[in-house]
Amino acid sequence: MEDGLNDGISCRKSHHPEEVKRNLTSRLNRVEGQIRGIKGMIEKDVYCDDVITQLSATQSALNSVAKILLEGHLKGCVVDRLNEGDDSVLDEFVVTIQKLMKK
């Protein structure tokens, strides 16, 4: 089944351990707080360099989340699919890395 969020990709699911989910959720909650803080800074006309510094910290936090997900994906999903004989996962993984490297 497809939905608008998947852009034609099948509805596969990850199975992250609860500890990893809590870690990711906690990190994303902090990022969400950082974004709200940045919005407040802009509304208060805070000096541009200070806002940019906070944006950089937020990007770094998001990159940390991506690294955790990427490691889990490689060690879990990719290995599982390779073990099932699905070599197409390698092409998918290369595209994923390329997307991350654009940023």
Side-chain angles (χ1 to χ4, degrees), residues 46-78:
V46 171
Y47 186 61
C48 296
D49 189 60
D50 295 334
V51 176
I52 292 167
T53 298
Q54 289 305 310
L55 284 168
S56 177
T58 303
Q59 287 173 328
S60 178
L62 280 173
N63 286 340
S64 293
V65 171
K67 288 176 191 175
I68 292 167
L69 283 169
L70 189 62
E71 179 181 358
H73 181 56
L74 180 59
K75 290 180 177 179
C77 303
V78 173

Side-chain angles (χ1 to χ4, degrees), residues 18-33:
E18 287 304 316
E19 181 179 330
V20 172
K21 285 183 189 180
R22 281 192 301 273
N23 181 4
L24 292 170
T25 300
S26 175
R27 288 171 182 268
L28 289 170
N29 286 338
R30 283 195 299 272
V31 168
E32 188 176 18

Side-chain angles (χ1 to χ4, degrees), residues 1-102:
M1 180 182 344
E2 294 180 14
D3 64 25
L5 297 176
N6 287 335
D7 294 330
I9 298 172
S10 67
C11 292
R12 297 182 296 244
K13 291 191 175 200
S14 294
H15 301 286
H16 302 289
E18 287 304 316
E19 181 179 330
V20 172
K21 285 183 189 180
R22 281 192 301 273
N23 181 4
L24 292 170
T25 300
S26 175
R27 288 171 182 268
L28 289 170
N29 286 338
R30 283 195 299 272
V31 168
E32 188 176 18
Q34 287 175 299
I35 296 292
R36 282 193 305 271
I38 292 167
K39 282 175 55 179
M41 292 172 79
I42 290 170
E43 290 168 358
K44 294 175 186 167
D45 294 320
V46 171
Y47 186 61
C48 296
D49 189 60
D50 295 334
V51 176
I52 292 167
T53 298
Q54 289 305 310
L55 284 168
S56 177
T58 303
Q59 287 173 328
S60 178
L62 280 173
N63 286 340
S64 293
V65 171
K67 288 176 191 175
I68 292 167
L69 283 169
L70 189 62
E71 179 181 358
H73 181 56
L74 180 59
K75 290 180 177 179
C77 303
V78 173
V79 168
D80 290 346
R81 286 178 58 193
L82 285 172
N83 287 337
E84 293 168 359
D86 183 359
D87 292 343
S88 69
V89 70
L90 295 175
D91 293 329
E92 176 186 284
F93 190 71
V94 168
V95 170
T96 299
I97 295 293
Q98 289 170 341
K99 288 177 188 175
L100 283 172
M101 292 178 73
K102 281 188 204 178

